[in-house]
Structure formats: structure tokens, C-alpha cells
């Protein structure tokens, strides 16, 4: 697990409080740190630039990310008025791209460190974006089994932790950072099955092109390194228990 650290002295007290809350040590020299910078929390890894959550789309729209962004938006058919449930929030980068289309995104995250980074990113998001974001600190399956059946999302998005084979490219550094303390999701077939029952329209799974899909998708939208597998909804009737009262996404 990361240590808690601070690079700005005025945040020492806050860092200490968080270290007590999470029962993690304060260590400003550890290889992996959840670090209080001057104005934000960030994940710091030895020899890497700090990484933080930024829901501001302009950051992710540029350069080498643009092709991947286009494929993600196409696969999710994201646009104003569409509700997307992102079951694997991470640094919220994919969610930021989806939010950039005007869609509303509910983000589910089970890891405590990532939850803090996401909460911090939300606090820095502008008001218009804030209204479209909902953070849910939970295990994905639990959320799916408690969704309000009357208010199911059109799209459910999954970007599980795939094992990394090479860690050379910049885009993979983020994944490398996560894998220092988050285990890969070896089997998410059950989660996908449940998600297909809960989505009104589709479930989209992000996958490295080097890996086969967990089950055969209806179609895929591919790039050079990443593929988006699209699974059409299986009835869109909600979870097995058919909750009428449950978690509201908006
Ligand atoms: C590959 S990362 C997602 C990266 C994210 N798409 C982004 O753009 O930053 C996977 C994240 O999902 C979380 N996660 C994986 N399985 C989960 C589950 N079953 N329930 C909730 N969160 C999960 C992990 O803790 C990790 O933060």
C-alpha cells in the first residue's frame, strides 16, 4: 500500500489525519505515496510525475489520446442526456472523456486510495461538471444488485485491471501506478453478465488488443493498443432481485 506524504508543509496536519484514518504510515520518501501537493492529492511513484484526477475534458482531448477517446465515445454512444455507470472509476480519465460529450457519469470505485483521489478531483471540478458526476464508494457487484430498477443507466462501462506485460509507453504508466497496490481483476465474467442485465442499452468493456474478450461481444471498436468490446443489454430489466427502491444514480 502507498504511504501518505505531503510536499507542501501547510498540508502536514491533513496528511497526518488521513494517515490515521487509513492506518497508513506517513513517509515522504516511500516508492509509492498518496501525496498532498499544494492544492490537490496525487499518487506519486518513484521517478514519475505525480498523477491526480482531473475531470476537465480539455486535458484529455489532445494529442495521442484523441483516437482512443473517439473510440470510447463511439462505443458508449455517449452524448447529452445519456446516463453512464462507470463501474471501474480509477483515475476517472475515461469518465472525463465521456463527461465531455455532455453525458452524466456515475463512477464506482472500491479502492480507498482511488476514492480519495476521485473525491479530490470532484471537489476541483467546475459546477457544471459536478452536476453530472456521482461518486459511489463501493464494490461494483454490490452497486448493480442495489440499483433502482426504475432508473437504470443506458450504458455500463467496465475497464478492469488487466495484467500489464510491458510498461514502456506513457499511457501505461498510469496502469503501472495502479498495479503497485491494486490487484488485477482475473475474472469479471459474472460482473459482465450482471451488468448486461442492468444496462438499458449496452455494456462496453475496455480491453488491450493483446487479450481476447471474456465472452464474444456483439461488436468491437478497436485502436492500435486498446479495444472496446460492446455487449448489447440483456433485457435491461435490472438485477435478479428486481429492486424497485435502491441506489439512485442521479
Ligand atoms: C483499470 S482501472 C480504471 C481506469 C479508468 N478507466 C480511468 O480512465 O482512469 C480499474 C479501477 O477499477 C477499480 N475496480 C476494479 N474492479 C472493481 C470492482 N469490482 N468494483 C469497484 N471498483 C473496481 C480498481 O480499483 C481501479 O481503480
Amino acid at each position: 500500500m502507498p504511504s501518505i506524504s505531503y510536499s507542501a508543509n501547510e498540508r502536514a496536519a491533513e496528511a497526518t489525519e488521513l494517515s490515521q484514518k487509513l492506518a497508513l504510515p506517513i513517509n515522504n520518501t516511500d516508492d509509492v505515496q498518496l501525496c498532498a501537493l499544494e492544492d490537490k492529492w496525487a499518487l506519486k511513484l518513484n521517478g514519475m510525475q505525480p498523477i491526480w484526477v482531473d475531470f476537465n475534458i480539455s486535458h484529455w482531448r489532445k494529442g495521442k489520446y484523441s483516437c482512443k477517446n473517439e473510440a470510447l465515445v463511439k462505443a458508449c454512444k455517449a452524448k447529452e442526456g445519456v446516463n453512464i455507470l462507470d463501474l471501474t472509476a480509477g483515475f476517472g480519465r475515461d469518465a472525463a472523456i465521456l463527461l465531455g460529450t455532455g453525458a452524466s457519469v456515475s463512477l464506482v470505485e472500491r479502492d480507498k486510495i482511488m476514492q480519495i483521489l476521485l473525491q479530490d478531483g470532484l471537489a476541483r471540478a467546475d459546477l457544471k461538471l459536478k452536476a453530472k458526476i456521482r461518486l459511489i464508494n463501493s464494490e461494483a457487484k454490490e452497486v448493480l444488485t442495489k440499483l433502482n430498477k426504475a432508473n437504470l443507466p443506458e450504458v455500463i462501462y467496465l475497464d478492469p485491471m488487466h495484467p500489464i506485460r510491458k510498461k514502456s509507453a506513457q499511457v501505461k504508466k498510469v496502469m503501472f501506478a495502479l498495479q503497485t497496490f491494486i490487484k488485477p481483476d482475473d475474472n469479471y465474467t459474472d460482473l459482465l453478465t450482471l451488468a448486461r442485465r442492468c444496462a438499458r442499452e449496452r455494456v462496453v468493456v475496455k480491453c488491450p488488443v493483446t487479450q481476447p474478450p471474456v465472452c464474444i461481444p456483439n461488436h468491437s471498436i478497436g485502436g492500435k493498443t486498446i479495444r472496446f468490446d460492446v455487449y448489447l443489454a440483456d433485457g435491461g430489466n435490472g438485477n435478479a432481485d428486481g429492486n424497485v427502491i435502491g441506489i439512485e444514480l442521479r
Side-chain angles (χ1 to χ4, degrees), residues 144 156 190-203 215-218 230-238:
L144 290 181
I156 296 184
D190 289 355
L191 189 59
L192 174 59
T193 306
L194 190 54
R196 286 185 81 176
R197 290 217 293 269
C198 292
R200 283 188 199 279
E201 290 175 9
R202 56 189 50 221
V203 178
C215 50
I216 298 170
N218 291 88
V230 180
Y231 299 87
L232 296 182
D234 185 8
N237 283 324

PDB file of all heavy atoms in Angstrom, residues 144 156 190-203 215-218 230-238:
ATOM      1  N   LEU A 144     -24.594  -2.941  -8.587  1.00  0.00           N
ATOM      2  CA  LEU A 144     -25.524  -3.494  -9.582  1.00  0.00           C
ATOM      3  C   LEU A 144     -26.709  -4.190  -8.919  1.00  0.00           C
ATOM      4  O   LEU A 144     -27.833  -4.116  -9.412  1.00  0.00           O
ATOM      5  CB  LEU A 144     -24.793  -4.476 -10.508  1.00  0.00           C
ATOM      6  CG  LEU A 144     -23.777  -3.858 -11.485  1.00  0.00           C
ATOM      7  CD1 LEU A 144     -23.145  -4.938 -12.342  1.00  0.00           C
ATOM      8  CD2 LEU A 144     -24.424  -2.806 -12.373  1.00  0.00           C
ATOM      9  N   ILE A 156     -23.375   0.843 -19.321  1.00  0.00           N
ATOM     10  CA  ILE A 156     -22.477   0.492 -18.211  1.00  0.00           C
ATOM     11  C   ILE A 156     -21.092   0.280 -18.815  1.00  0.00           C
ATOM     12  O   ILE A 156     -20.935  -0.383 -19.851  1.00  0.00           O
ATOM     13  CB  ILE A 156     -22.977  -0.760 -17.456  1.00  0.00           C
ATOM     14  CG1 ILE A 156     -24.335  -0.441 -16.812  1.00  0.00           C
ATOM     15  CG2 ILE A 156     -21.956  -1.192 -16.405  1.00  0.00           C
ATOM     16  CD1 ILE A 156     -24.922  -1.555 -15.958  1.00  0.00           C
ATOM     17  N   ASP A 190     -18.829 -12.756 -14.451  1.00  0.00           N
ATOM     18  CA  ASP A 190     -20.075 -12.600 -13.680  1.00  0.00           C
ATOM     19  C   ASP A 190     -20.515 -11.141 -13.651  1.00  0.00           C
ATOM     20  O   ASP A 190     -21.704 -10.840 -13.770  1.00  0.00           O
ATOM     21  CB  ASP A 190     -19.873 -13.038 -12.219  1.00  0.00           C
ATOM     22  CG  ASP A 190     -19.728 -14.538 -12.111  1.00  0.00           C
ATOM     23  OD1 ASP A 190     -19.881 -15.219 -13.149  1.00  0.00           O
ATOM     24  OD2 ASP A 190     -19.430 -15.014 -11.000  1.00  0.00           O
ATOM     25  N   LEU A 191     -19.522 -10.261 -13.474  1.00  0.00           N
ATOM     26  CA  LEU A 191     -19.824  -8.823 -13.423  1.00  0.00           C
ATOM     27  C   LEU A 191     -20.415  -8.372 -14.763  1.00  0.00           C
ATOM     28  O   LEU A 191     -21.395  -7.619 -14.806  1.00  0.00           O
ATOM     29  CB  LEU A 191     -18.533  -8.050 -13.113  1.00  0.00           C
ATOM     30  CG  LEU A 191     -18.673  -6.574 -12.800  1.00  0.00           C
ATOM     31  CD1 LEU A 191     -19.572  -6.332 -11.609  1.00  0.00           C
ATOM     32  CD2 LEU A 191     -17.299  -5.945 -12.543  1.00  0.00           C
ATOM     33  N   LEU A 192     -19.846  -8.866 -15.847  1.00  0.00           N
ATOM     34  CA  LEU A 192     -20.343  -8.508 -17.181  1.00  0.00           C
ATOM     35  C   LEU A 192     -21.780  -9.018 -17.376  1.00  0.00           C
ATOM     36  O   LEU A 192     -22.647  -8.293 -17.879  1.00  0.00           O
ATOM     37  CB  LEU A 192     -19.401  -9.085 -18.248  1.00  0.00           C
ATOM     38  CG  LEU A 192     -19.831  -8.944 -19.700  1.00  0.00           C
ATOM     39  CD1 LEU A 192     -20.028  -7.480 -20.084  1.00  0.00           C
ATOM     40  CD2 LEU A 192     -18.793  -9.579 -20.634  1.00  0.00           C
ATOM     41  N   THR A 193     -22.039 -10.253 -16.940  1.00  0.00           N
ATOM     42  CA  THR A 193     -23.389 -10.831 -17.080  1.00  0.00           C
ATOM     43  C   THR A 193     -24.407  -9.984 -16.317  1.00  0.00           C
ATOM     44  O   THR A 193     -25.476  -9.650 -16.838  1.00  0.00           O
ATOM     45  CB  THR A 193     -23.401 -12.281 -16.519  1.00  0.00           C
ATOM     46  OG1 THR A 193     -22.361 -12.996 -17.183  1.00  0.00           O
ATOM     47  CG2 THR A 193     -24.721 -12.967 -16.736  1.00  0.00           C
ATOM     48  N   LEU A 194     -24.044  -9.634 -15.092  1.00  0.00           N
ATOM     49  CA  LEU A 194     -24.943  -8.820 -14.265  1.00  0.00           C
ATOM     50  C   LEU A 194     -25.132  -7.432 -14.883  1.00  0.00           C
ATOM     51  O   LEU A 194     -26.244  -6.902 -14.924  1.00  0.00           O
ATOM     52  CB  LEU A 194     -24.355  -8.731 -12.852  1.00  0.00           C
ATOM     53  CG  LEU A 194     -25.211  -8.143 -11.753  1.00  0.00           C
ATOM     54  CD1 LEU A 194     -26.555  -8.838 -11.643  1.00  0.00           C
ATOM     55  CD2 LEU A 194     -24.467  -8.234 -10.415  1.00  0.00           C
ATOM     56  N   ALA A 195     -24.031  -6.871 -15.378  1.00  0.00           N
ATOM     57  CA  ALA A 195     -24.093  -5.533 -15.984  1.00  0.00           C
ATOM     58  C   ALA A 195     -25.027  -5.550 -17.202  1.00  0.00           C
ATOM     59  O   ALA A 195     -25.805  -4.622 -17.416  1.00  0.00           O
ATOM     60  CB  ALA A 195     -22.697  -5.070 -16.391  1.00  0.00           C
ATOM     61  N   ARG A 196     -24.981  -6.615 -17.986  1.00  0.00           N
ATOM     62  CA  ARG A 196     -25.854  -6.703 -19.176  1.00  0.00           C
ATOM     63  C   ARG A 196     -27.330  -6.741 -18.779  1.00  0.00           C
ATOM     64  O   ARG A 196     -28.196  -6.332 -19.529  1.00  0.00           O
ATOM     65  CB  ARG A 196     -25.501  -7.944 -20.003  1.00  0.00           C
ATOM     66  CG  ARG A 196     -24.218  -7.771 -20.755  1.00  0.00           C
ATOM     67  CD  ARG A 196     -23.945  -8.945 -21.643  1.00  0.00           C
ATOM     68  NE  ARG A 196     -24.693  -8.860 -22.889  1.00  0.00           N
ATOM     69  CZ  ARG A 196     -24.561  -9.739 -23.858  1.00  0.00           C
ATOM     70  NH1 ARG A 196     -23.741 -10.746 -23.743  1.00  0.00           N
ATOM     71  NH2 ARG A 196     -25.261  -9.606 -24.971  1.00  0.00           N
ATOM     72  N   ARG A 197     -27.593  -7.264 -17.591  1.00  0.00           N
ATOM     73  CA  ARG A 197     -28.989  -7.302 -17.127  1.00  0.00           C
ATOM     74  C   ARG A 197     -29.445  -5.933 -16.613  1.00  0.00           C
ATOM     75  O   ARG A 197     -30.634  -5.664 -16.516  1.00  0.00           O
ATOM     76  CB  ARG A 197     -29.143  -8.337 -16.007  1.00  0.00           C
ATOM     77  CG  ARG A 197     -29.006  -9.771 -16.483  1.00  0.00           C
ATOM     78  CD  ARG A 197     -29.962 -10.682 -15.732  1.00  0.00           C
ATOM     79  NE  ARG A 197     -29.619 -10.806 -14.332  1.00  0.00           N
ATOM     80  CZ  ARG A 197     -28.819 -11.741 -13.837  1.00  0.00           C
ATOM     81  NH1 ARG A 197     -28.270 -12.631 -14.624  1.00  0.00           N
ATOM     82  NH2 ARG A 197     -28.572 -11.800 -12.558  1.00  0.00           N
ATOM     83  N   CYS A 198     -28.463  -5.100 -16.232  1.00  0.00           N
ATOM     84  CA  CYS A 198     -28.820  -3.817 -15.621  1.00  0.00           C
ATOM     85  C   CYS A 198     -28.792  -2.643 -16.600  1.00  0.00           C
ATOM     86  O   CYS A 198     -29.424  -1.613 -16.342  1.00  0.00           O
ATOM     87  CB  CYS A 198     -27.860  -3.502 -14.469  1.00  0.00           C
ATOM     88  SG  CYS A 198     -28.070  -4.633 -13.090  1.00  0.00           S
ATOM     89  N   ALA A 199     -28.023  -2.773 -17.696  1.00  0.00           N
ATOM     90  CA  ALA A 199     -27.937  -1.657 -18.646  1.00  0.00           C
ATOM     91  C   ALA A 199     -29.192  -1.627 -19.512  1.00  0.00           C
ATOM     92  O   ALA A 199     -29.736  -2.674 -19.858  1.00  0.00           O
ATOM     93  CB  ALA A 199     -26.702  -1.823 -19.521  1.00  0.00           C
ATOM     94  N   ARG A 200     -29.656  -0.426 -19.845  1.00  0.00           N
ATOM     95  CA  ARG A 200     -30.807  -0.341 -20.749  1.00  0.00           C
ATOM     96  C   ARG A 200     -30.392  -0.620 -22.188  1.00  0.00           C
ATOM     97  O   ARG A 200     -31.155  -1.168 -22.958  1.00  0.00           O
ATOM     98  CB  ARG A 200     -31.405   1.069 -20.710  1.00  0.00           C
ATOM     99  CG  ARG A 200     -32.233   1.322 -19.493  1.00  0.00           C
ATOM    100  CD  ARG A 200     -32.945   2.668 -19.637  1.00  0.00           C
ATOM    101  NE  ARG A 200     -33.364   3.138 -18.337  1.00  0.00           N
ATOM    102  CZ  ARG A 200     -34.462   2.703 -17.728  1.00  0.00           C
ATOM    103  NH1 ARG A 200     -35.226   1.824 -18.300  1.00  0.00           N
ATOM    104  NH2 ARG A 200     -34.770   3.170 -16.531  1.00  0.00           N
ATOM    105  N   GLU A 201     -29.156  -0.194 -22.538  1.00  0.00           N
ATOM    106  CA  GLU A 201     -28.767  -0.343 -23.949  1.00  0.00           C
ATOM    107  C   GLU A 201     -27.539  -1.206 -24.179  1.00  0.00           C
ATOM    108  O   GLU A 201     -27.542  -2.089 -25.017  1.00  0.00           O
ATOM    109  CB  GLU A 201     -28.528   1.038 -24.564  1.00  0.00           C
ATOM    110  CG  GLU A 201     -29.832   1.806 -24.720  1.00  0.00           C
ATOM    111  CD  GLU A 201     -29.637   3.220 -25.202  1.00  0.00           C
ATOM    112  OE1 GLU A 201     -28.497   3.587 -25.582  1.00  0.00           O
ATOM    113  OE2 GLU A 201     -30.623   3.968 -25.179  1.00  0.00           O
ATOM    114  N   ARG A 202     -26.452  -0.916 -23.465  1.00  0.00           N
ATOM    115  CA  ARG A 202     -25.204  -1.614 -23.767  1.00  0.00           C
ATOM    116  C   ARG A 202     -24.214  -1.617 -22.607  1.00  0.00           C
ATOM    117  O   ARG A 202     -24.278  -0.762 -21.725  1.00  0.00           O
ATOM    118  CB  ARG A 202     -24.523  -0.949 -24.967  1.00  0.00           C
ATOM    119  CG  ARG A 202     -24.275   0.546 -24.737  1.00  0.00           C
ATOM    120  CD  ARG A 202     -23.797   1.265 -25.981  1.00  0.00           C
ATOM    121  NE  ARG A 202     -24.631   0.978 -27.114  1.00  0.00           N
ATOM    122  CZ  ARG A 202     -24.170   0.759 -28.361  1.00  0.00           C
ATOM    123  NH1 ARG A 202     -22.891   0.829 -28.611  1.00  0.00           N
ATOM    124  NH2 ARG A 202     -25.005   0.502 -29.347  1.00  0.00           N
ATOM    125  N   VAL A 203     -23.311  -2.593 -22.673  1.00  0.00           N
ATOM    126  CA  VAL A 203     -22.180  -2.621 -21.746  1.00  0.00           C
ATOM    127  C   VAL A 203     -20.922  -2.554 -22.609  1.00  0.00           C
ATOM    128  O   VAL A 203     -20.808  -3.265 -23.607  1.00  0.00           O
ATOM    129  CB  VAL A 203     -22.166  -3.918 -20.905  1.00  0.00           C
ATOM    130  CG1 VAL A 203     -20.961  -3.946 -19.973  1.00  0.00           C
ATOM    131  CG2 VAL A 203     -23.453  -4.052 -20.099  1.00  0.00           C
ATOM    132  N   CYS A 215     -16.088 -12.799 -23.145  1.00  0.00           N
ATOM    133  CA  CYS A 215     -17.025 -13.583 -23.950  1.00  0.00           C
ATOM    134  C   CYS A 215     -17.291 -12.808 -25.240  1.00  0.00           C
ATOM    135  O   CYS A 215     -16.927 -11.627 -25.330  1.00  0.00           O
ATOM    136  CB  CYS A 215     -18.291 -13.949 -23.189  1.00  0.00           C
ATOM    137  SG  CYS A 215     -19.101 -12.603 -22.377  1.00  0.00           S
ATOM    138  N   ILE A 216     -17.893 -13.461 -26.213  1.00  0.00           N
ATOM    139  CA  ILE A 216     -17.956 -12.850 -27.553  1.00  0.00           C
ATOM    140  C   ILE A 216     -18.860 -11.616 -27.558  1.00  0.00           C
ATOM    141  O   ILE A 216     -20.040 -11.696 -27.202  1.00  0.00           O
ATOM    142  CB  ILE A 216     -18.450 -13.890 -28.589  1.00  0.00           C
ATOM    143  CG1 ILE A 216     -17.444 -15.025 -28.637  1.00  0.00           C
ATOM    144  CG2 ILE A 216     -18.610 -13.267 -29.975  1.00  0.00           C
ATOM    145  CD1 ILE A 216     -17.895 -16.231 -29.419  1.00  0.00           C
ATOM    146  N   PRO A 217     -18.294 -10.475 -27.946  1.00  0.00           N
ATOM    147  CA  PRO A 217     -19.094  -9.244 -27.938  1.00  0.00           C
ATOM    148  C   PRO A 217     -19.999  -9.143 -29.166  1.00  0.00           C
ATOM    149  O   PRO A 217     -19.792  -9.863 -30.142  1.00  0.00           O
ATOM    150  CB  PRO A 217     -18.018  -8.144 -27.980  1.00  0.00           C
ATOM    151  CG  PRO A 217     -16.831  -8.772 -28.608  1.00  0.00           C
ATOM    152  CD  PRO A 217     -16.903 -10.241 -28.353  1.00  0.00           C
ATOM    153  N   ASN A 218     -20.991  -8.256 -29.131  1.00  0.00           N
ATOM    154  CA  ASN A 218     -21.818  -8.006 -30.311  1.00  0.00           C
ATOM    155  C   ASN A 218     -20.996  -7.320 -31.394  1.00  0.00           C
ATOM    156  O   ASN A 218     -21.137  -7.604 -32.571  1.00  0.00           O
ATOM    157  CB  ASN A 218     -23.040  -7.162 -29.946  1.00  0.00           C
ATOM    158  CG  ASN A 218     -23.997  -7.963 -29.089  1.00  0.00           C
ATOM    159  OD1 ASN A 218     -23.875  -7.985 -27.863  1.00  0.00           O
ATOM    160  ND2 ASN A 218     -24.912  -8.676 -29.712  1.00  0.00           N
ATOM    161  N   VAL A 230     -18.305  -4.229 -27.253  1.00  0.00           N
ATOM    162  CA  VAL A 230     -19.665  -3.761 -26.965  1.00  0.00           C
ATOM    163  C   VAL A 230     -20.599  -4.961 -26.839  1.00  0.00           C
ATOM    164  O   VAL A 230     -20.667  -5.811 -27.732  1.00  0.00           O
ATOM    165  CB  VAL A 230     -20.175  -2.821 -28.082  1.00  0.00           C
ATOM    166  CG1 VAL A 230     -21.598  -2.344 -27.782  1.00  0.00           C
ATOM    167  CG2 VAL A 230     -19.234  -1.626 -28.236  1.00  0.00           C
ATOM    168  N   TYR A 231     -21.311  -5.036 -25.707  1.00  0.00           N
ATOM    169  CA  TYR A 231     -22.285  -6.106 -25.436  1.00  0.00           C
ATOM    170  C   TYR A 231     -23.655  -5.448 -25.310  1.00  0.00           C
ATOM    171  O   TYR A 231     -23.832  -4.546 -24.468  1.00  0.00           O
ATOM    172  CB  TYR A 231     -21.944  -6.824 -24.129  1.00  0.00           C
ATOM    173  CG  TYR A 231     -20.584  -7.479 -24.148  1.00  0.00           C
ATOM    174  CD1 TYR A 231     -19.440  -6.763 -23.792  1.00  0.00           C
ATOM    175  CD2 TYR A 231     -20.447  -8.810 -24.529  1.00  0.00           C
ATOM    176  CE1 TYR A 231     -18.188  -7.356 -23.823  1.00  0.00           C
ATOM    177  CE2 TYR A 231     -19.184  -9.417 -24.558  1.00  0.00           C
ATOM    178  CZ  TYR A 231     -18.073  -8.681 -24.207  1.00  0.00           C
ATOM    179  OH  TYR A 231     -16.835  -9.269 -24.243  1.00  0.00           O
ATOM    180  N   LEU A 232     -24.589  -5.875 -26.137  1.00  0.00           N
ATOM    181  CA  LEU A 232     -25.914  -5.261 -26.044  1.00  0.00           C
ATOM    182  C   LEU A 232     -26.610  -5.721 -24.765  1.00  0.00           C
ATOM    183  O   LEU A 232     -26.340  -6.817 -24.253  1.00  0.00           O
ATOM    184  CB  LEU A 232     -26.739  -5.599 -27.283  1.00  0.00           C
ATOM    185  CG  LEU A 232     -26.148  -5.029 -28.584  1.00  0.00           C
ATOM    186  CD1 LEU A 232     -27.036  -5.362 -29.770  1.00  0.00           C
ATOM    187  CD2 LEU A 232     -25.903  -3.520 -28.501  1.00  0.00           C
ATOM    188  N   ALA A 233     -27.494  -4.871 -24.259  1.00  0.00           N
ATOM    189  CA  ALA A 233     -28.162  -5.164 -22.980  1.00  0.00           C
ATOM    190  C   ALA A 233     -29.000  -6.435 -23.091  1.00  0.00           C
ATOM    191  O   ALA A 233     -29.559  -6.729 -24.143  1.00  0.00           O
ATOM    192  CB  ALA A 233     -29.046  -3.987 -22.594  1.00  0.00           C
ATOM    193  N   ASP A 234     -29.049  -7.124 -21.967  1.00  0.00           N
ATOM    194  CA  ASP A 234     -29.782  -8.379 -21.904  1.00  0.00           C
ATOM    195  C   ASP A 234     -31.135  -8.108 -21.237  1.00  0.00           C
ATOM    196  O   ASP A 234     -31.359  -8.488 -20.098  1.00  0.00           O
ATOM    197  CB  ASP A 234     -28.943  -9.357 -21.080  1.00  0.00           C
ATOM    198  CG  ASP A 234     -29.549 -10.741 -21.053  1.00  0.00           C
ATOM    199  OD1 ASP A 234     -30.521 -10.975 -21.789  1.00  0.00           O
ATOM    200  OD2 ASP A 234     -29.034 -11.569 -20.278  1.00  0.00           O
ATOM    201  N   GLY A 235     -31.976  -7.380 -21.894  1.00  0.00           N
ATOM    202  CA  GLY A 235     -33.305  -7.101 -21.343  1.00  0.00           C
ATOM    203  C   GLY A 235     -33.405  -5.761 -20.655  1.00  0.00           C
ATOM    204  O   GLY A 235     -34.425  -5.109 -20.705  1.00  0.00           O
ATOM    205  N   GLY A 236     -32.312  -5.314 -20.035  1.00  0.00           N
ATOM    206  CA  GLY A 236     -32.350  -4.032 -19.319  1.00  0.00           C
ATOM    207  C   GLY A 236     -33.369  -4.008 -18.192  1.00  0.00           C
ATOM    208  O   GLY A 236     -33.939  -2.981 -17.856  1.00  0.00           O
ATOM    209  N   ASN A 237     -33.590  -5.201 -17.589  1.00  0.00           N
ATOM    210  CA  ASN A 237     -34.625  -5.281 -16.547  1.00  0.00           C
ATOM    211  C   ASN A 237     -34.086  -5.183 -15.137  1.00  0.00           C
ATOM    212  O   ASN A 237     -34.802  -5.368 -14.188  1.00  0.00           O
ATOM    213  CB  ASN A 237     -35.392  -6.598 -16.688  1.00  0.00           C
ATOM    214  CG  ASN A 237     -36.366  -6.513 -17.823  1.00  0.00           C
ATOM    215  OD1 ASN A 237     -36.940  -5.454 -18.055  1.00  0.00           O
ATOM    216  ND2 ASN A 237     -36.509  -7.594 -18.551  1.00  0.00           N
ATOM    217  N   GLY A 238     -32.804  -4.974 -15.019  1.00  0.00           N
ATOM    218  CA  GLY A 238     -32.247  -4.826 -13.683  1.00  0.00           C
ATOM    219  C   GLY A 238     -31.736  -6.132 -13.128  1.00  0.00           C
ATOM    220  O   GLY A 238     -31.698  -7.150 -13.808  1.00  0.00           O
TER     221      GLY A 238
END
